[in-house]
mmCIF file of all heavy atoms in Angstrom:
data_model
loop_
_atom_site.group_PDB
_atom_site.id
_atom_site.type_symbol
_atom_site.label_atom_id
_atom_site.label_comp_id
_atom_site.label_asym_id
_atom_site.label_seq_id
_atom_site.Cartn_x
_atom_site.Cartn_y
_atom_site.Cartn_z
ATOM 1 N N VAL A 1 0.846 -1.208 0.000
ATOM 2 C CA VAL A 1 0.000 0.000 0.000
ATOM 3 C C VAL A 1 0.872 1.245 0.000
ATOM 4 O O VAL A 1 0.640 2.178 -0.778
ATOM 5 C CB VAL A 1 -0.975 0.007 1.202
ATOM 6 C CG1 VAL A 1 -1.661 1.365 1.345
ATOM 7 C CG2 VAL A 1 -2.014 -1.101 1.059
ATOM 8 N N LYS A 2 1.897 1.272 0.857
ATOM 9 C CA LYS A 2 2.815 2.428 0.902
ATOM 10 C C LYS A 2 3.469 2.656 -0.458
ATOM 11 O O LYS A 2 3.588 3.795 -0.909
ATOM 12 C CB LYS A 2 3.912 2.212 1.947
ATOM 13 C CG LYS A 2 3.461 2.321 3.369
ATOM 14 C CD LYS A 2 4.673 2.117 4.286
ATOM 15 C CE LYS A 2 4.266 1.792 5.688
ATOM 16 N NZ LYS A 2 5.415 1.440 6.531
ATOM 17 N N ASP A 3 3.897 1.579 -1.099
ATOM 18 C CA ASP A 3 4.553 1.684 -2.404
ATOM 19 C C ASP A 3 3.570 2.153 -3.487
ATOM 20 O O ASP A 3 3.902 3.015 -4.304
ATOM 21 C CB ASP A 3 5.163 0.338 -2.788
ATOM 22 C CG ASP A 3 5.964 0.418 -4.069
ATOM 23 O OD1 ASP A 3 6.831 1.319 -4.183
ATOM 24 O OD2 ASP A 3 5.717 -0.405 -4.970
ATOM 25 N N ILE A 4 2.383 1.615 -3.491
ATOM 26 C CA ILE A 4 1.378 1.976 -4.498
ATOM 27 C C ILE A 4 0.991 3.452 -4.384
ATOM 28 O O ILE A 4 0.731 4.113 -5.392
ATOM 29 C CB ILE A 4 0.134 1.062 -4.387
ATOM 30 C CG1 ILE A 4 0.496 -0.380 -4.769
ATOM 31 C CG2 ILE A 4 -1.005 1.562 -5.277
ATOM 32 C CD1 ILE A 4 -0.579 -1.401 -4.435
ATOM 33 N N LEU A 5 0.989 3.978 -3.168
ATOM 34 C CA LEU A 5 0.664 5.397 -2.969
ATOM 35 C C LEU A 5 1.602 6.328 -3.734
ATOM 36 O O LEU A 5 1.208 7.428 -4.105
ATOM 37 C CB LEU A 5 0.719 5.755 -1.476
ATOM 38 C CG LEU A 5 -0.565 5.542 -0.695
ATOM 39 C CD1 LEU A 5 -0.302 5.676 0.794
ATOM 40 C CD2 LEU A 5 -1.637 6.512 -1.157
ATOM 41 N N LYS A 6 2.822 5.884 -3.986
ATOM 42 C CA LYS A 6 3.816 6.703 -4.688
ATOM 43 C C LYS A 6 3.646 6.650 -6.203
ATOM 44 O O LYS A 6 4.258 7.434 -6.916
ATOM 45 C CB LYS A 6 5.228 6.232 -4.333
ATOM 46 C CG LYS A 6 5.558 6.305 -2.864
ATOM 47 C CD LYS A 6 6.897 5.648 -2.585
ATOM 48 C CE LYS A 6 7.127 5.453 -1.103
ATOM 49 N NZ LYS A 6 8.286 4.608 -0.824
ATOM 50 N N ARG A 7 2.838 5.722 -6.691
ATOM 51 C CA ARG A 7 2.704 5.515 -8.140
ATOM 52 C C ARG A 7 1.620 6.407 -8.742
ATOM 53 O O ARG A 7 0.632 6.723 -8.085
ATOM 54 C CB ARG A 7 2.350 4.053 -8.432
ATOM 55 C CG ARG A 7 3.356 3.072 -7.897
ATOM 56 C CD ARG A 7 2.919 1.661 -8.204
ATOM 57 N NE ARG A 7 3.587 0.711 -7.315
ATOM 58 C CZ ARG A 7 3.240 -0.539 -7.175
ATOM 59 N NH1 ARG A 7 2.224 -1.022 -7.871
ATOM 60 N NH2 ARG A 7 3.889 -1.328 -6.355
ATOM 61 N N PRO A 8 1.804 6.771 -10.008
ATOM 62 C CA PRO A 8 0.757 7.560 -10.674
ATOM 63 C C PRO A 8 -0.476 6.703 -10.974
ATOM 64 O O PRO A 8 -0.376 5.490 -11.138
ATOM 65 C CB PRO A 8 1.435 8.011 -11.977
ATOM 66 C CG PRO A 8 2.479 6.978 -12.233
ATOM 67 C CD PRO A 8 2.947 6.505 -10.877
ATOM 68 N N LEU A 9 -1.629 7.348 -11.019
ATOM 69 C CA LEU A 9 -2.862 6.678 -11.440
ATOM 70 C C LEU A 9 -2.996 6.909 -12.937
ATOM 71 O O LEU A 9 -3.502 7.939 -13.368
ATOM 72 C CB LEU A 9 -4.077 7.262 -10.717
ATOM 73 C CG LEU A 9 -4.499 6.560 -9.438
ATOM 74 C CD1 LEU A 9 -3.554 6.856 -8.312
ATOM 75 C CD2 LEU A 9 -5.901 6.922 -9.081
ATOM 76 N N ASN A 10 -2.520 5.962 -13.723
ATOM 77 C CA ASN A 10 -2.552 6.153 -15.171
ATOM 78 C C ASN A 10 -2.812 4.863 -15.943
ATOM 79 O O ASN A 10 -2.618 4.812 -17.145
ATOM 80 C CB ASN A 10 -1.255 6.801 -15.650
ATOM 81 C CG ASN A 10 -0.039 5.947 -15.365
ATOM 82 O OD1 ASN A 10 -0.128 4.842 -14.855
ATOM 83 N ND2 ASN A 10 1.128 6.487 -15.691
ATOM 84 N N LYS A 11 -3.247 3.822 -15.239
ATOM 85 C CA LYS A 11 -3.520 2.562 -15.921
ATOM 86 C C LYS A 11 -5.032 2.394 -16.093
ATOM 87 O O LYS A 11 -5.790 2.498 -15.138
ATOM 88 C CB LYS A 11 -2.963 1.385 -15.115
ATOM 89 C CG LYS A 11 -3.190 0.060 -15.822
ATOM 90 C CD LYS A 11 -2.579 -1.084 -15.068
ATOM 91 C CE LYS A 11 -2.830 -2.381 -15.824
ATOM 92 N NZ LYS A 11 -2.477 -3.541 -15.030
ATOM 93 N N ASN A 12 -5.443 2.143 -17.325
ATOM 94 C CA ASN A 12 -6.854 1.898 -17.602
ATOM 95 C C ASN A 12 -7.122 0.407 -17.566
ATOM 96 O O ASN A 12 -6.391 -0.370 -18.176
ATOM 97 C CB ASN A 12 -7.234 2.447 -18.984
ATOM 98 C CG ASN A 12 -7.128 3.951 -19.034
ATOM 99 O OD1 ASN A 12 -7.746 4.643 -18.233
ATOM 100 N ND2 ASN A 12 -6.329 4.459 -19.946
ATOM 101 N N GLU A 13 -8.157 0.025 -16.835
ATOM 102 C CA GLU A 13 -8.515 -1.384 -16.751
ATOM 103 C C GLU A 13 -10.025 -1.522 -16.610
ATOM 104 O O GLU A 13 -10.680 -0.680 -15.998
ATOM 105 C CB GLU A 13 -7.815 -2.050 -15.561
ATOM 106 C CG GLU A 13 -8.011 -3.542 -15.573
ATOM 107 C CD GLU A 13 -6.919 -4.299 -14.849
ATOM 108 O OE1 GLU A 13 -5.794 -3.797 -14.723
ATOM 109 O OE2 GLU A 13 -7.206 -5.412 -14.423
ATOM 110 N N SER A 14 -10.556 -2.584 -17.177
ATOM 111 C CA SER A 14 -11.990 -2.850 -17.091
ATOM 112 C C SER A 14 -12.274 -3.883 -16.017
ATOM 113 O O SER A 14 -11.499 -4.808 -15.804
ATOM 114 C CB SER A 14 -12.525 -3.386 -18.422
ATOM 115 O OG SER A 14 -12.407 -2.407 -19.421
ATOM 116 N N PHE A 15 -13.414 -3.692 -15.370
ATOM 117 C CA PHE A 15 -13.940 -4.680 -14.443
ATOM 118 C C PHE A 15 -15.435 -4.778 -14.723
ATOM 119 O O PHE A 15 -16.169 -3.816 -14.535
ATOM 120 C CB PHE A 15 -13.688 -4.277 -12.991
ATOM 121 C CG PHE A 15 -14.321 -5.214 -12.003
ATOM 122 C CD1 PHE A 15 -13.844 -6.510 -11.857
ATOM 123 C CD2 PHE A 15 -15.395 -4.819 -11.237
ATOM 124 C CE1 PHE A 15 -14.433 -7.379 -10.959
ATOM 125 C CE2 PHE A 15 -15.987 -5.682 -10.337
ATOM 126 C CZ PHE A 15 -15.506 -6.968 -10.194
ATOM 127 N N LYS A 16 -15.838 -5.908 -15.227
ATOM 128 C CA LYS A 16 -17.219 -6.125 -15.673
ATOM 129 C C LYS A 16 -17.588 -5.022 -16.666
ATOM 130 O O LYS A 16 -16.956 -4.916 -17.699
ATOM 131 C CB LYS A 16 -18.166 -6.228 -14.489
ATOM 132 C CG LYS A 16 -17.868 -7.428 -13.609
ATOM 133 C CD LYS A 16 -18.871 -7.602 -12.516
ATOM 134 C CE LYS A 16 -18.489 -8.804 -11.656
ATOM 135 N NZ LYS A 16 -19.450 -9.058 -10.615
ATOM 136 N N GLU A 17 -18.557 -4.165 -16.335
ATOM 137 C CA GLU A 17 -19.019 -3.142 -17.282
ATOM 138 C C GLU A 17 -18.333 -1.782 -17.116
ATOM 139 O O GLU A 17 -18.625 -0.860 -17.862
ATOM 140 C CB GLU A 17 -20.527 -2.914 -17.105
ATOM 141 C CG GLU A 17 -21.382 -4.118 -17.373
ATOM 142 C CD GLU A 17 -22.835 -3.836 -17.059
ATOM 143 O OE1 GLU A 17 -23.434 -2.993 -17.753
ATOM 144 O OE2 GLU A 17 -23.365 -4.445 -16.116
ATOM 145 N N ILE A 18 -17.476 -1.653 -16.133
ATOM 146 C CA ILE A 18 -16.911 -0.335 -15.834
ATOM 147 C C ILE A 18 -15.432 -0.268 -16.231
ATOM 148 O O ILE A 18 -14.695 -1.237 -16.078
ATOM 149 C CB ILE A 18 -17.100 0.019 -14.337
ATOM 150 C CG1 ILE A 18 -16.727 1.462 -14.057
ATOM 151 C CG2 ILE A 18 -16.354 -0.942 -13.438
ATOM 152 C CD1 ILE A 18 -17.140 1.947 -12.679
ATOM 153 N N LYS A 19 -15.044 0.869 -16.752
ATOM 154 C CA LYS A 19 -13.638 1.131 -17.071
ATOM 155 C C LYS A 19 -13.101 2.020 -15.952
ATOM 156 O O LYS A 19 -13.706 3.019 -15.587
ATOM 157 C CB LYS A 19 -13.522 1.812 -18.424
ATOM 158 C CG LYS A 19 -13.989 0.922 -19.567
ATOM 159 C CD LYS A 19 -13.547 1.442 -20.904
ATOM 160 C CE LYS A 19 -14.061 0.646 -22.066
ATOM 161 N NZ LYS A 19 -14.131 -0.771 -21.955
ATOM 162 N N LEU A 20 -11.945 1.643 -15.426
ATOM 163 C CA LEU A 20 -11.386 2.332 -14.270
ATOM 164 C C LEU A 20 -9.960 2.779 -14.516
ATOM 165 O O LEU A 20 -9.237 2.173 -15.307
ATOM 166 C CB LEU A 20 -11.406 1.387 -13.056
ATOM 167 C CG LEU A 20 -12.798 0.946 -12.602
ATOM 168 C CD1 LEU A 20 -12.709 -0.310 -11.771
ATOM 169 C CD2 LEU A 20 -13.464 2.073 -11.831
ATOM 170 N N ILE A 21 -9.573 3.817 -13.813
ATOM 171 C CA ILE A 21 -8.185 4.279 -13.804
ATOM 172 C C ILE A 21 -7.625 3.861 -12.449
ATOM 173 O O ILE A 21 -8.162 4.243 -11.406
ATOM 174 C CB ILE A 21 -8.102 5.808 -13.983
ATOM 175 C CG1 ILE A 21 -8.762 6.228 -15.293
ATOM 176 C CG2 ILE A 21 -6.648 6.267 -13.921
ATOM 177 C CD1 ILE A 21 -8.983 7.725 -15.411
ATOM 178 N N ILE A 22 -6.549 3.074 -12.494
ATOM 179 C CA ILE A 22 -5.949 2.559 -11.264
ATOM 180 C C ILE A 22 -4.442 2.841 -11.289
ATOM 181 O O ILE A 22 -3.899 3.230 -12.319
ATOM 182 C CB ILE A 22 -6.246 1.051 -11.091
ATOM 183 C CG1 ILE A 22 -5.715 0.221 -12.276
ATOM 184 C CG2 ILE A 22 -7.744 0.817 -10.903
ATOM 185 C CD1 ILE A 22 -5.878 -1.283 -12.113
ATOM 186 N N PRO A 23 -3.765 2.633 -10.152
ATOM 187 C CA PRO A 23 -2.326 2.913 -10.104
ATOM 188 C C PRO A 23 -1.501 2.022 -11.042
ATOM 189 O O PRO A 23 -1.867 0.887 -11.333
ATOM 190 C CB PRO A 23 -1.961 2.631 -8.642
ATOM 191 C CG PRO A 23 -3.236 2.795 -7.892
ATOM 192 C CD PRO A 23 -4.302 2.299 -8.823
ATOM 193 N N LEU A 24 -0.385 2.572 -11.473
ATOM 194 C CA LEU A 24 0.583 1.859 -12.301
ATOM 195 C C LEU A 24 1.018 0.576 -11.603
ATOM 196 O O LEU A 24 1.164 0.542 -10.381
ATOM 197 C CB LEU A 24 1.789 2.767 -12.539
ATOM 198 C CG LEU A 24 2.889 2.259 -13.462
ATOM 199 C CD1 LEU A 24 2.355 2.147 -14.886
ATOM 200 C CD2 LEU A 24 4.075 3.209 -13.419
ATOM 201 N N ASN A 25 1.219 -0.493 -12.367
ATOM 202 C CA ASN A 25 1.655 -1.798 -11.861
ATOM 203 C C ASN A 25 0.682 -2.421 -10.860
ATOM 204 O O ASN A 25 1.079 -3.084 -9.903
ATOM 205 C CB ASN A 25 3.052 -1.731 -11.245
ATOM 206 C CG ASN A 25 4.102 -1.528 -12.308
ATOM 207 O OD1 ASN A 25 4.053 -2.149 -13.363
ATOM 208 N ND2 ASN A 25 5.037 -0.634 -12.054
ATOM 209 N N THR A 26 -0.622 -2.172 -11.095
ATOM 210 C CA THR A 26 -1.670 -2.866 -10.348
ATOM 211 C C THR A 26 -2.651 -3.420 -11.365
ATOM 212 O O THR A 26 -2.610 -3.063 -12.542
ATOM 213 C CB THR A 26 -2.425 -1.940 -9.372
ATOM 214 O OG1 THR A 26 -3.106 -0.918 -10.100
ATOM 215 C CG2 THR A 26 -1.495 -1.327 -8.339
ATOM 216 N N SER A 27 -3.500 -4.304 -10.907
ATOM 217 C CA SER A 27 -4.581 -4.807 -11.752
ATOM 218 C C SER A 27 -5.784 -5.051 -10.855
ATOM 219 O O SER A 27 -5.719 -4.842 -9.643
ATOM 220 C CB SER A 27 -4.170 -6.100 -12.471
ATOM 221 O OG SER A 27 -4.037 -7.149 -11.548
ATOM 222 N N ILE A 28 -6.869 -5.516 -11.459
ATOM 223 C CA ILE A 28 -8.070 -5.812 -10.692
ATOM 224 C C ILE A 28 -8.299 -7.315 -10.715
ATOM 225 O O ILE A 28 -8.323 -7.928 -11.783
ATOM 226 C CB ILE A 28 -9.292 -5.062 -11.261
ATOM 227 C CG1 ILE A 28 -9.058 -3.553 -11.174
ATOM 228 C CG2 ILE A 28 -10.565 -5.460 -10.510
ATOM 229 C CD1 ILE A 28 -10.107 -2.714 -11.850
ATOM 230 N N ASN A 29 -8.436 -7.894 -9.549
ATOM 231 C CA ASN A 29 -8.762 -9.310 -9.412
ATOM 232 C C ASN A 29 -10.177 -9.476 -9.977
ATOM 233 O O ASN A 29 -11.142 -8.997 -9.398
ATOM 234 C CB ASN A 29 -8.702 -9.706 -7.927
ATOM 235 C CG ASN A 29 -9.048 -11.139 -7.674
ATOM 236 O OD1 ASN A 29 -9.823 -11.753 -8.384
ATOM 237 N ND2 ASN A 29 -8.487 -11.675 -6.603
ATOM 238 N N GLN A 30 -10.295 -10.126 -11.110
ATOM 239 C CA GLN A 30 -11.575 -10.216 -11.805
ATOM 240 C C GLN A 30 -12.603 -11.074 -11.064
ATOM 241 O O GLN A 30 -13.796 -10.930 -11.292
ATOM 242 C CB GLN A 30 -11.378 -10.733 -13.234
ATOM 243 C CG GLN A 30 -10.602 -9.778 -14.125
ATOM 244 C CD GLN A 30 -11.298 -8.436 -14.338
ATOM 245 O OE1 GLN A 30 -12.491 -8.375 -14.590
ATOM 246 N NE2 GLN A 30 -10.534 -7.354 -14.220
ATOM 247 N N LYS A 31 -12.171 -11.929 -10.165
ATOM 248 C CA LYS A 31 -13.110 -12.733 -9.369
ATOM 249 C C LYS A 31 -13.709 -11.919 -8.231
ATOM 250 O O LYS A 31 -14.896 -11.993 -7.960
ATOM 251 C CB LYS A 31 -12.415 -13.953 -8.762
ATOM 252 C CG LYS A 31 -12.197 -15.095 -9.707
ATOM 253 C CD LYS A 31 -11.630 -16.273 -8.937
ATOM 254 C CE LYS A 31 -11.434 -17.476 -9.818
ATOM 255 N NZ LYS A 31 -10.855 -18.605 -9.057
ATOM 256 N N GLN A 32 -12.852 -11.157 -7.542
ATOM 257 C CA GLN A 32 -13.292 -10.458 -6.337
ATOM 258 C C GLN A 32 -13.475 -8.959 -6.506
ATOM 259 O O GLN A 32 -14.139 -8.326 -5.704
ATOM 260 C CB GLN A 32 -12.288 -10.703 -5.214
ATOM 261 C CG GLN A 32 -12.174 -12.143 -4.833
ATOM 262 C CD GLN A 32 -11.117 -12.338 -3.774
ATOM 263 O OE1 GLN A 32 -10.989 -11.538 -2.845
ATOM 264 N NE2 GLN A 32 -10.343 -13.384 -3.904
ATOM 265 N N GLY A 33 -12.827 -8.384 -7.506
ATOM 266 C CA GLY A 33 -12.962 -6.956 -7.743
ATOM 267 C C GLY A 33 -11.991 -6.088 -6.972
ATOM 268 O O GLY A 33 -12.108 -4.862 -6.998
ATOM 269 N N ASN A 34 -11.022 -6.681 -6.292
ATOM 270 C CA ASN A 34 -10.082 -5.868 -5.531
ATOM 271 C C ASN A 34 -8.830 -5.564 -6.349
ATOM 272 O O ASN A 34 -8.529 -6.219 -7.330
ATOM 273 C CB ASN A 34 -9.683 -6.581 -4.228
ATOM 274 C CG ASN A 34 -8.915 -7.867 -4.464
ATOM 275 O OD1 ASN A 34 -9.469 -8.830 -4.965
ATOM 276 N ND2 ASN A 34 -7.645 -7.877 -4.091
ATOM 277 N N ILE A 35 -8.110 -4.557 -5.906
ATOM 278 C CA ILE A 35 -6.857 -4.175 -6.547
ATOM 279 C C ILE A 35 -5.764 -5.149 -6.115
ATOM 280 O O ILE A 35 -5.705 -5.558 -4.953
ATOM 281 C CB ILE A 35 -6.484 -2.729 -6.187
ATOM 282 C CG1 ILE A 35 -7.496 -1.792 -6.847
ATOM 283 C CG2 ILE A 35 -5.058 -2.388 -6.605
ATOM 284 C CD1 ILE A 35 -7.257 -0.338 -6.613
ATOM 285 N N VAL A 36 -4.909 -5.509 -7.058
ATOM 286 C CA VAL A 36 -3.779 -6.396 -6.781
ATOM 287 C C VAL A 36 -2.502 -5.688 -7.233
ATOM 288 O O VAL A 36 -2.439 -5.147 -8.339
ATOM 289 C CB VAL A 36 -3.920 -7.737 -7.542
ATOM 290 C CG1 VAL A 36 -2.707 -8.623 -7.305
ATOM 291 C CG2 VAL A 36 -5.196 -8.456 -7.139
ATOM 292 N N ASP A 37 -1.501 -5.675 -6.356
ATOM 293 C CA ASP A 37 -0.194 -5.111 -6.698
ATOM 294 C C ASP A 37 0.555 -6.121 -7.562
ATOM 295 O O ASP A 37 0.813 -7.244 -7.128
ATOM 296 C CB ASP A 37 0.592 -4.818 -5.416
ATOM 297 C CG ASP A 37 1.973 -4.259 -5.687
ATOM 298 O OD1 ASP A 37 2.157 -3.620 -6.748
ATOM 299 O OD2 ASP A 37 2.863 -4.459 -4.846
ATOM 300 N N LEU A 38 0.878 -5.728 -8.790
ATOM 301 C CA LEU A 38 1.554 -6.650 -9.703
ATOM 302 C C LEU A 38 3.015 -6.890 -9.325
ATOM 303 O O LEU A 38 3.594 -7.904 -9.700
ATOM 304 C CB LEU A 38 1.460 -6.129 -11.140
ATOM 305 C CG LEU A 38 0.051 -6.113 -11.729
ATOM 306 C CD1 LEU A 38 0.070 -5.506 -13.126
ATOM 307 C CD2 LEU A 38 -0.556 -7.512 -11.750
ATOM 308 N N ARG A 39 3.613 -5.984 -8.580
ATOM 309 C CA ARG A 39 5.007 -6.160 -8.176
ATOM 310 C C ARG A 39 5.157 -7.247 -7.115
ATOM 311 O O ARG A 39 6.139 -7.979 -7.099
ATOM 312 C CB ARG A 39 5.584 -4.847 -7.649
ATOM 313 C CG ARG A 39 5.767 -3.803 -8.735
ATOM 314 C CD ARG A 39 6.373 -2.540 -8.174
ATOM 315 N NE ARG A 39 6.494 -1.523 -9.212
ATOM 316 C CZ ARG A 39 6.779 -0.259 -8.977
ATOM 317 N NH1 ARG A 39 6.977 0.154 -7.743
ATOM 318 N NH2 ARG A 39 6.869 0.591 -9.970
ATOM 319 N N THR A 40 4.193 -7.319 -6.209
ATOM 320 C CA THR A 40 4.301 -8.273 -5.096
ATOM 321 C C THR A 40 3.260 -9.391 -5.149
ATOM 322 O O THR A 40 3.441 -10.425 -4.515
ATOM 323 C CB THR A 40 4.120 -7.548 -3.750
ATOM 324 O OG1 THR A 40 2.796 -6.985 -3.707
ATOM 325 C CG2 THR A 40 5.158 -6.464 -3.557
ATOM 326 N N GLY A 41 2.173 -9.150 -5.856
ATOM 327 C CA GLY A 41 1.089 -10.130 -5.912
ATOM 328 C C GLY A 41 0.090 -9.998 -4.770
ATOM 329 O O GLY A 41 -0.858 -10.781 -4.682
ATOM 330 N N TYR A 42 0.283 -9.007 -3.897
ATOM 331 C CA TYR A 42 -0.615 -8.852 -2.752
ATOM 332 C C TYR A 42 -1.931 -8.190 -3.143
ATOM 333 O O TYR A 42 -1.958 -7.221 -3.906
ATOM 334 C CB TYR A 42 0.035 -8.022 -1.642
ATOM 335 C CG TYR A 42 1.114 -8.765 -0.903
ATOM 336 C CD1 TYR A 42 2.418 -8.319 -0.913
ATOM 337 C CD2 TYR A 42 0.813 -9.923 -0.192
ATOM 338 C CE1 TYR A 42 3.418 -9.005 -0.237
ATOM 339 C CE2 TYR A 42 1.808 -10.620 0.485
ATOM 340 C CZ TYR A 42 3.094 -10.153 0.458
ATOM 341 O OH TYR A 42 4.077 -10.845 1.120
ATOM 342 N N GLY A 43 -3.019 -8.714 -2.568
ATOM 343 C CA GLY A 43 -4.331 -8.102 -2.732
ATOM 344 C C GLY A 43 -4.447 -6.911 -1.802
ATOM 345 O O GLY A 43 -4.039 -6.968 -0.639
ATOM 346 N N ILE A 44 -4.982 -5.834 -2.323
ATOM 347 C CA ILE A 44 -5.141 -4.595 -1.560
ATOM 348 C C ILE A 44 -6.618 -4.478 -1.167
ATOM 349 O O ILE A 44 -7.496 -4.742 -1.988
ATOM 350 C CB ILE A 44 -4.708 -3.378 -2.418
ATOM 351 C CG1 ILE A 44 -3.277 -3.589 -2.964
ATOM 352 C CG2 ILE A 44 -4.823 -2.075 -1.651
ATOM 353 C CD1 ILE A 44 -2.207 -3.798 -1.919
#
């Protein structure tokens, strides 16, 4: 979380019907809908 706070919000990603802007090097867990840090694999 501390590391992600330093990253820009510039990644576009879809979750179901919505398009979202999320932090760089993160993604959305498509099963649960939570943010996942791609650098560490931790669910946020």
Side-chain angles (χ1 to χ4, degrees):
V1 170
K2 287 181 198 173
D3 185 51
I4 293 169
L5 272 169
K6 300 172 192 169
R7 302 179 200 167
L9 267 74
N10 62 3
K11 182 177 180 190
N12 294 304
E13 188 155 335
S14 295
F15 175 69
K16 296 185 181 182
E17 298 175 66
I18 189 169
K19 295 195 184 321
L20 297 160
I21 301 168
I22 59 175
L24 184 67
N25 289 317
T26 63
S27 69
I28 299 173
N29 179 330
Q30 294 297 315
K31 282 186 178 179
Q32 298 177 40
N34 65 292
I35 292 181
V36 177
D37 179 27
L38 293 177
R39 291 182 182 168
T40 63
Y42 287 118
I44 306 302

